[in-house]
Structure formats: structure tokens, C-alpha cells
Amino acid sequence: MLRIRCLHLSFEALSDAFFTCRKNVLWAKSSSPQVEGSFAMAPRGPDQEEREGLLQQWREEGSSQVLSTVNEGPLVDKGLAQSSLALLMDNSGEQAAASEDKWSSRQLSDLRAAENLEEPFARELGEEPLPEVEGPTWAAVPMQTDPQYADCAVLPMGGLAAEQWEEDPAVVAWSIAPKPMPQEEALIWPFEGLEQLQPPQMEIPYHEILWREWEDFSAQSDAQGLEAGDGPQFQFTLMSYNILAQDLMQQSSELYLHCHPDILNWNYRFANLMQEFQHWDPDILCLQEVQEDHYWEQLEPSLRMMGFTCFYKRRTGCKTDGCAVCYKPTRFRLLCASPVEYFRPGLELLNRDNVGLVLLLQPLVPEGLGQVSVAPLCVANTHVLYNPRRGDVKLAQMAVLLAEVDKVARLSDGSHCPIILCGDLNSVPESPLYNFIRDGELQYHGMPAWKVSGQEDFSHQLYQRKLQAPLWPSSLGITDCCQYVTSCRPKRAERRKYGRDFLLRFRFCSIACQRPVGLVLMEGVTDTKPERPAGWAEAVLEEDAREPEPAFPRTVGTIQHCLHLTSVYTHFLPQHGRPEVTTMPLGLGTTVDYIFFSAESSEDENRTDRRLYQDGTLKLLGRLSLLSEEILWAANGLPNPFCSSDHLCLLASFGMKVTAP
């Protein structure tokens, strides 16, 4: 049946099959050993009339007669006929053996013609093979079915057809060909206006280049020598991920010239992102740069099918992206959700459209543990202003977020429940902003604004904006301790209950003896002057029942917070001797994404467990390792065929103490 169907192929469809150079390739394998593999490297064919005649000759005289005629013709005609037979004689029973997708021979021929190369490209079968190209070549290969590669697989581009994602082994993923293709010259990037894409000069699959290890801390002792398994714990995982909004990517297309156009397509990126979410399967998912239409049309429905409940806050103004926090209702119950807008009309310091989102979640303990309880968990997610010159704006935005976290996480006794603060903070490690979050204090007066985030060095510029005290006006309603003024005021005592003896003290006080203004004199009812018995005091000491409003003196040039946060990551890879990176703008690796959590910092420099903090109610059990700049360069930077964002995801596992009532 396959051979009969191929006889009816039009010339245009046959020609397209010869020279297609797309990710979805046409797999073909001939049963004849003489023509096996010739389809992948089709030589330059004759003109259109000769090919039409050749096809018509095949239809009229049969395959055997055409083959004999071709063997007597020129080399160019011979190569075309053999390639045609390789397609027409395709055996449907051997379709499982897939061949590699090679660069189009027509493109190579056109390039040679443009360079005035007159050497014929076609070679007679049976001659020595062409010299191999140095380095790997791009190819489309079947998706790996090994479970360890599940996070790098590509899902179908269509919508969700089932209630849960399934990995289709027939899906094609971009990778490096196992063996280099015989070519006469190095491959040339065929897309106009883009730079040449150089594959990494090593024969290692991308899955291994971008392999990220899971660092397990659950078996390590904490500062008190207690093991993680010394008591029941509520364990969960949290992922923070800047997924790169499509609108922002298109507005800054010059940052992604190194990427193949296909991997920048949203459908391709969305499938990869969903596959990554499904592979790591976090209990809480914090996303930044979430485009609004993509969220409502694709992300939210897909995440809901994966078992998540989602909350989304779009940026103010005309921006189309925002932040999202998703959690699994089987693990947590929502107590409250507070969107945070940093824009304040009339304040030049807070005139940007960035936002945040704060959720208070109650962990759900399995019924088998009996009558036990777990403290609530406060999760904050944000994307701070990028502008490296406006560190004053970044600090003000962070103060607003910390004030909201303080209000949501504050317990009745004045303490705070466990807190996780994550997101894209657009600040590098050990910068003043980073140290402020970790250490809880920052002296900012006179500091250059560009120095706050540490992203770029503008010290050479003549004019430098400097931070002045106070950083924000009192009208913002936030103290220098990053708390709302209303939440800092002590609660008023209950209404006083006055007894009879207390009230009798005011019978003949000075106020009581004064004639009210406008009092109408009525004989027997009101007199001109009240009678004052001899010996009565002129006045009785009055007690002011009003409570004084608390005063909040502002610390000159210093801001503080009392949330006790530390970073999940150490920002250094000891095994590689290189710093960790979470993004690569313009090819330069840096860290701007963080997961902070409630823990006391440790000053002990002799600790050997790779952690610089002391565990509290919230204990870090593990984290997904980050990568170095060199490793990402080997994978052609970010995004790449397997990481569909210009940021790496952050993933950590936590444990919370379970207490008896």
C-alpha cells in the first residue's frame, strides 16, 4: 500500500521531501543496501524538466527499467534517482528505525554557487566517504525515554488532551547527533540576520552538560547535633522560577540572537516548562514574568490539571506580566492571600509597576499522626525593579514587601511563623540589598544608588545618585524597621469601667462649677452660680483617659527588619571552584534569583556541612544545585533547547516541626 501511495505523490511533495530541513523530519530507510542513507544526503539534482521526465519514466516503465536507465546516465541523475527510490521503496515495517535529520543539500549547493564553487557536489556511490566535520552537528533525534532525562523532554505543541501529561517517545527533541555527518565543509548558520550557532566542542549530550545534582542535607546534623529524623516533620518542596515572559523577550530580541528561532517560540517553551514542572513536582511553585494571557489561557489550566491552586498578580500600569504563586491543596490550606503593589501615586521613589504576592498557608498533616499541629507558612514571591542605577527604588520596594510579610506572618504573641521569601531580586550576592535581607540591617546614608544591587559599576560617572535619609517619607506608613505603623501601635486597653466613688470626685470640680455657655436661666432649675461649700478644693486633679499616640523616631540612615532570613544557596560551587549563576544576560553569568527562609545565621566558620545557618522551625532538607557560567556556555547559554527561560529554576526541600497540642 505504501508503494502505491508513493506513486501518486506529486512532484512538488517529492521535492519538498528531498530538501526539508526542519525539526520534524521525514524518516526513510530503503531495503536496498545500494541506496541506504542516500536520502539523508541528497546530491544536487537536475533541472525541473529532467526530474519530471524521470518521475514519469518511473511510472510508465517500472522501477527496474528506471534503475537500469539511471545507472547509465550522468552522476547527477544517478544520485537523484537513487534518492527517489530510497523514498519510494520505503518499507512500512521498518519505520521504527529512525534516521537523523541532516542539513539540506540544496542549501549547501546554493551556498557553494554563491561562493563560485564549481566543484560538483554529487559523488558516485561506492567511492570513499567524504571527510567528517570536526565537532558535533545539529540533528533531531527521538526523545530519551530514560527517567533521568524526563526534565529535558519536549511535549507536543498542542493543547492538553488528557488530564495529565504523558511523555510520547515519538516526540522529537533538539539534541546533538551521536556521530558527525560526512560533509565537505563546516556547517553555516542559514538564518539571515542571526549570528552563527556554534555547538559545544564536545561529544556530550545536553542532558549531561546541564545535569544538576540534588544536594541532600536530611542526614546531616544541625547546630545542636540533632538528626533530621529525630521527630515527625512536615516535608515539602518549593520552586522559584523566572519563566521569561514572551512579550519581554520580543521587546529585547537583541539579547537572544544566539538562540535558534524555533526554541524561542512560546509553544515550544511552554511545553518544556510544563515538562520541567511535572518532573520536579514541587508542592509550592513561585513564578515570575508570567504573561497574563498565557497564564489564563495555558498555564493556569495546565497547572490546575496537575493539582495546583494558583494565585496571580499582574504588574500595574500597562505591563503584561506579573507574579504567580501556586500550591497543592492536598498539602496546604489557604489562610490568606495579599497582593502587593509597589506603585504609590505621588511618590517618586515608588513610581514603578513591580508587584509581589504574599500567601499564608496552613500545612495539612495526615490523619494518621493523630492530634498534632504545624505552624502556618508564609510564602512571599516578587520581581524587583531591574534598573541597576535605581538601588533606592529597589530598597523601598523591598521595605514594602517586608512590611507586608511582617503583617501576614505575625502571630498573636508578636513572633513570626516560618517565612520563605523568593523571587528575582535583580541584586547580586553580598550586595547591600542582599546583606540587608540576610542580616536584617543596612546603613544606607550617602551610599551611591547603583551600589545597592551590585549589578553594574557606575563609579566612573561624574554624577551619581546617592541615598539620603530618610529613604522614604513618613506618609508611606512604614517605619525604618520595615513594619506598618498601624501594626506597631500597642493595642488599646479595654474600655474602663468607672465606679461610683470615682465619678463622685468630679461633682464640684472647676469644670463642674463653670456655667455652660448659652445656658438658659430657669428659676428653681438653673442658677447663676452653683453653691460652693466652704473648704472645698478649687479643683480636682483630672485624669486624662486618652492614651498618647506612640511616637516612632526614625533612625538616621539605617533600616532594619526582624524576620531572620538566610539564603538556601551559598552562591559558590566548591567542586568546580566557580560561582553559581542563575541567569546569563548578554553572555555574562550572574545570580539574581533567591530563596530566603527563616533561620538564624551561624557565625561558626569551622562548620563542615556547607550550611551557614542554624535550623529553626523551618529546616532545609535539600536543594537542586545550580550551574557555573562555563557549563552554561558549553550549552550555548540561556535559553537553550532544554532550558526554555533565560533563568534557571531554584528548587529546595524543607521540613517543619510537627508539635503535639
Side-chain angles (χ1 to χ4, degrees), residues 288-604:
Q288 305 90 40
E289 287 196 25
V290 182
Q291 192 166 309
E292 185 178 31
D293 57 340
H294 291 162
Y295 172 79
W296 292 113
E297 296 173 5
Q298 295 173 285
L299 282 168
E300 195 276 339
S302 302
L303 291 173
R304 181 161 25 89
M305 294 175 62
M306 292 174 59
F308 286 96
T309 297
C310 305
F311 286 84
Y312 177 76
K313 174 58 181 175
R314 174 182 165 174
R315 283 207 282 173
T316 55
C318 59
K319 305 299 183 180
T320 61
D321 66 291
C323 297
V325 176
C326 312
Y327 68 93
K328 290 187 175 179
T330 56
R331 305 298 313 282
F332 297 92
R333 176 171 57 90
L334 179 69
L335 298 180
C336 71
S338 299
V340 181
E341 296 182 356
Y342 300 139
F343 179 80
R344 296 291 191 275
L347 287 183
E348 190 272 339
L349 186 66
L350 290 170
N351 60 355
R352 306 305 172 94
D353 296 315
N354 304 84
V355 296
L357 196 57
V358 181
L359 268 63
L360 186 63
L361 304 174
Q362 177 62 55
L364 300 178
V365 181
E367 298 180 357
L369 295 180
Q371 297 295 328
V372 296
S373 62
V374 182
L377 175 67
C378 180
V379 179
N381 180 30
T382 188
H383 189 182
V384 175
L385 175 71
Y386 166 76
N387 191 341
R389 304 172 184 268
R390 296 306 305 271
D392 52 343
V393 177
K394 298 174 190 282
L395 277 178
Q397 291 181 349
M398 186 53 57
V400 174
L401 180 67
L402 293 176
E404 188 69 25
V405 171
D406 174 83
K407 183 186 74 172
V408 173
R410 184 178 293 274
L411 302 176
S412 58
D413 59 356
S415 62
H416 296 89
C417 67
I419 299 168
I420 296 180
L421 189 155
C422 59
D424 184 349
L425 305 185
N426 278 315
S427 302
V428 301
E430 304 303 327
S431 64
L433 177 59
Y434 174 90
N435 292 335
F436 167 60
I437 299 174
R438 184 191 61 185
D439 302 334
E441 183 176 354
L442 175 65
Q443 296 181 357
Y444 63 86
H445 183 67
M447 180 184 298
W450 60 265
K451 202 171 185 178
V452 171
S453 64
Q455 295 167 279
E456 297 183 35
D457 186 356
F458 296 98
S459 58
H460 60 280
Q461 294 187 353
L462 182 62
Y463 170 76
Q464 298 182 21
R465 182 191 300 268
K466 294 186 177 181
L467 277 60
Q468 302 295 328
L471 184 59
W472 55 79
S474 300
S475 60
L476 184 60
I478 297 177
T479 68
D480 289 332
C481 292
C482 297
Q483 295 176 330
Y484 287 124
V485 173
T486 54
S487 63
C488 296
R489 290 176 177 172
K491 295 183 178 180
R492 291 180 176 271
E494 296 182 359
R495 186 175 181 179
R496 294 181 180 179
K497 297 179 180 180
Y498 301 103
R500 180 175 182 275
D501 295 337
F502 178 80
L503 295 176
L504 288 177
R505 295 171 55 189
F506 300 94
R507 285 182 298 173
F508 299 103
C509 64
S510 298
I511 298 299
C513 293
Q514 293 180 2
R515 181 177 181 274
V517 179
L519 178 65
V520 178
L521 296 177
M522 300 176 61
E523 186 177 356
V525 178
T526 59
D527 298 329
T528 304
K529 290 183 179 180
E531 297 180 0
R532 180 184 298 272
W536 283 4
E538 291 291 333
V540 178
L541 181 62
E542 299 182 32
E543 296 183 2
D544 190 1
R546 296 177 302 172
E547 295 181 0
E549 294 291 338
F552 296 96
R554 307 204 58 176
T555 308
V556 179
T558 303
I559 55 177
Q560 300 173 330
H561 73 82
C562 56
L563 301 182
H564 304 292
L565 302 174
T566 190
S567 175
V568 165
Y569 290 89
T570 59
H571 318 302
F572 187 77
L573 299 170
Q575 64 273 26
H576 300 288
R578 295 289 187 273
E580 299 172 335
V581 301
T582 64
T583 184
M584 289 189 66
L586 298 175
L588 300 176
T590 184
T591 293
V592 296
D593 305 276
Y594 303 94
I595 298 178
F596 290 96
F597 69 103
S598 297
E600 294 289 345
S601 299
S602 175
E603 303 296 337
D604 186 5

